[in-house]
Amino acid sequence: MLITGANRGIGLEHTRVLLSRGWHVSAACRDPGKASELKALDPGDGRLTLLEYDAARPGAGKALASAVKGPIDILFANAGMFGPREQGFGQTDYAGMAEIAQVNAFAALELAETFAGQVAQSQLKVIALQSSRMGSIADNTSGGYYAYRMSKAALNAIGKSLSIDLKPKGIITLIFHPGWVKTDMGGAGGTLTVNECVEGQLDLIARANPAMNGRFFHVSGEDLDW
Ligand SMILES: NC(=O)c1ccc[n+]([C@@H]2O[C@H](COP(=O)([O-])OP(=O)(O)OC[C@H]3O[C@@H](n4cnc5c(N)ncnc54)[C@H](OP(=O)(O)O)[C@@H]3O)[C@@H](O)[C@H]2O)c1
C-alpha cells in the first residue's frame, strides 16, 4: 500500500494494521523525521518505507515516483486538512480555499496520475480516496464550511472520473466517508475509534469488485448520496 497522511490519525492506523498483517507499506507524510509514532511501527525488515510528501506542493505526488517501485495493491489518498479556521458565509479566506483544494482534491488526482500504472500491475488494483460526507451536496442541510465541503465535493468528482477512466485498466476506485472518527480532526466526540474505521475500510477494500467501482461509501458499507 502507498498511503498519504500516514503519521497520525486514520493514516497511521492503516499503516499499523497492514504492517501487522505482513504487508509492505509506503507511508508518506510531511516530516518523516518527526513522525515518531510512525517510525515506531517499523518492523525492521524493510516492509515500511517512509516518504516525504507535502500535498500542498503541486508536483509532490510525481516526485514520489522514483521512490515507489513495483505493483501497488492499494493507493490510498488519505491526507487531508480541515482548512481555514473561519468558513462561514462572509468570512471566506480565498487563499485558504485554494490551499485546501490542492491538499484535499488536486493532490489525490496527481497521485492517481502518477501511480495508476503500478496499481494496474497489482492484484487488488484499488485506489481509495478519503473523502467526507461533508462533500455530499445532497447531504448538506446545514450550510457553511465552504472550504472543506468544496474540497471534498471536488475530490468526489475526481473519484468518479477516475472510476471511469481507469476502469479499462481493471482499477477499482473507492470513495470513502470514514465515519466520524476520534482523531485530531474528528475530535474526541467522534463515534468511531481509528481502529474501527480502518477495519471497516479494509473490509470494504478486501471485497472490492467492479460493482463497487466509483461509489461513495460510508465505512459501514452504506452508499452515500453525492
Ligand atoms: N476524523 C474524521 O471524523 C473524518 C471525517 C471525514 C473525513 N476525514 C478525512 O480523513 C482523512 C484523515 O483525517 P484524520 O481524521 O486522520 O485527521 P488528522 O488526524 O488530522 O490527520 C490528518 C493527516 O493528513 C496529513 N496532512 C494534512 N495536510 C497535509 C499536507 N499538506 N501534506 C501531507 N499530509 C498532510 C496530516 O499530516 P501532518 O501531521 O503533517 O499535519 C495527517 O497525517 C482526511 O482526509 C480527512 O478529511 C476524517
Side-chain angles (χ1 to χ4, degrees):
M1 173 170 72
L2 167 57
I3 185 162
T4 61
N7 59 308
R8 60 188 170 101
I10 299 169
L12 179 69
E13 183 65 4
H14 269 291
T15 303
R16 190 188 71 74
V17 171
L18 285 190
L19 285 172
S20 76
R21 294 183 188 178
W23 282 57
H24 285 76
V25 181
S26 295
C29 61
R30 279 196 275 204
D31 191 348
K34 289 191 183 147
S36 50
E37 287 181 272
L38 178 57
K39 284 195 282 195
L41 298 179
D42 194 346
D45 56 6
R47 288 188 294 114
L48 176 65
T49 305
L50 266 56
L51 303 165
E52 189 177 330
Y53 170 77
D54 183 351
R57 226 166 21 86
K62 286 200 177 73
L64 294 180
S66 57
V68 186
K69 298 291 180 200
I72 300 171
D73 282 286
I74 307 169
L75 170 61
F76 209 134
N78 166 75
M81 63 190 295
F82 196 72
R85 200 179 160 82
E86 302 297 346
Q87 296 192 30
F89 180 75
Q91 300 171 316
T92 304
D93 165 356
Y94 288 98
M97 292 279 279
E99 184 189 17
I100 196 174
Q102 167 62 35
V103 170
N104 287 4
F106 307 163
L109 176 57
E110 190 186 305
L111 288 170
E113 289 188 323
T114 304
F115 291 108
Q118 284 163 258
V119 174
Q121 288 162 13
S122 74
Q123 278 194 308
L124 276 184
K125 300 184 181 48
V126 168
I127 294 180
L129 306 180
Q130 200 72 281
S131 183
S132 169
R133 191 175 214 161
M134 286 187 72
S136 167
I137 292 168
D139 191 64
N140 183 354
T141 54
S142 55
Y145 301 104
Y146 289 86
Y148 190 70
R149 288 191 193 281
M150 169 279 302
S151 69
K152 295 296 190 179
L155 179 62
N156 289 355
I158 285 167
K160 185 69 194 184
S161 279
L162 289 176
S163 74
I164 295 165
D165 292 338
L166 302 181
K167 189 175 167 186
K169 292 184 187 295
I171 293 175
I172 295 166
T173 302
L174 303 175
I175 301 148
F176 285 138
H177 169 60
W180 184 17
V181 188
K182 292 182 212 291
T183 61
D184 292 341
M185 188 186 293
T191 54
L192 295 178
T193 64
V194 282
N195 186 253
E196 289 165 336
C197 164
V198 164
E199 293 287 349
Q201 293 195 321
L202 291 175
D203 280 353
L204 284 167
I205 288 171
R207 57 190 175 83
N209 65 73
M212 293 167 73
N213 186 30
R215 281 161 58 186
F216 183 21
F217 287 108
H218 190 281
V219 67
S220 65
E222 173 201 350
D223 276 286
L224 294 172
D225 286 336
W226 302 108

